[in-house]
Amino acid sequence: MTQQGAPRDAPVPLERGAQNAAQGPASGDPAAWGPSGRDPAAWASSDGDSAAQGDPAARDDSAAQGDPVAQDGAAGDVTTPRARTHRVGGYTVVELHGEIDIAGVESVGPALDAATAGDKPAVIVDLRPAAFFDCSGLGLLCRAHRRVMERGGRLRLVCDNALILRTLRAGRMLDVLHPVATLDEALRAEE
């Protein structure tokens, strides 16, 4: 799998610890990968915490801190597509997490549709938590942009990932969406 817009022979960046998971377990038995179907070595971190021992509960303590997204079990996997919506100032911020591809668009699309509904919506789409973004995600952004413009609203895009920016450039969306690198920049942006 390559990132949209990357040369075919370009290496695909793997999440920390996923190099071992990509090779599979030494035994060749997927059952040895643990309850999630992933190699427990992929949970390992360089500081030797309990996640390195294959304990899925130790990977993310945000559920203990009251994060409702973490409580539904989706936060432990960085590839699971999900949207987190919250308010900052006069904007609705929609963070897109995980792999935003043809399979993930149906998971995050309803949150973006809800944010772009109503009269004069003010929306910030934050792609920084996205692990992967392809042309299906471009279609999602185009739809959100169209809905906001039809309703007389504002849409800002936050993205600092070079591969996602390359995908936006290939889709000729950089000049339409004018992405910025931080949420603060999006909040300060003037029309």
Side-chain angles (χ1 to χ4, degrees):
M1 173 174 77
T2 61
Q3 175 72 27
Q4 175 70 24
R8 284 192 177 272
D9 58 345
V12 177
L14 295 174
E15 67 188 53
R16 181 175 60 171
Q19 291 84 2
N20 293 338
Q23 295 171 0
S27 69
D29 179 13
W33 287 9
S36 69
R38 291 178 28 203
D39 182 357
W43 298 336
S45 67
S46 60
D47 60 351
D49 63 7
S50 60
Q53 306 303 317
D55 180 7
R59 284 181 286 153
D60 187 353
D61 64 356
S62 55
Q65 298 171 4
D67 183 357
V69 175
Q71 290 173 351
D72 72 8
D77 185 4
V78 297
T79 62
T80 301
R82 61 184 174 87
R84 178 178 177 262
T85 304
H86 56 97
R87 298 283 298 175
V88 176
Y91 284 90
T92 300
V93 179
V94 181
E95 296 175 356
L96 300 183
H97 295 255
E99 294 183 353
I100 310 304
D101 56 11
I102 194 164
V105 165
E106 69 183 42
S107 298
V108 299
L112 206 48
D113 285 348
T116 58
D119 191 36
K120 297 185 180 185
V123 180
I124 296 175
V125 179
D126 190 349
L127 295 179
R128 292 176 300 171
F132 179 81
F133 189 86
D134 69 4
C135 60
S136 299
L138 277 178
L140 187 70
L141 289 180
C142 288
R143 174 181 163 85
H145 180 261
R146 179 182 48 82
R147 288 171 53 95
V148 167
M149 294 300 112
E150 287 174 352
R151 292 167 172 83
R154 299 173 306 218
L155 178 74
R156 307 278 189 249
L157 180 66
V158 179
C159 179
D160 60 359
N161 182 306
L163 292 175
I164 295 175
L165 290 169
R166 182 184 290 179
T167 301
L168 292 168
R169 183 179 307 113
R172 302 195 191 286
M173 293 302 293
L174 283 181
D175 293 333
V176 175
L177 297 174
H178 306 285
V180 295
T182 68
L183 185 59
D184 287 337
E185 286 180 79
L187 292 168
R188 286 192 314 258
E190 294 293 324
E191 295 236 11

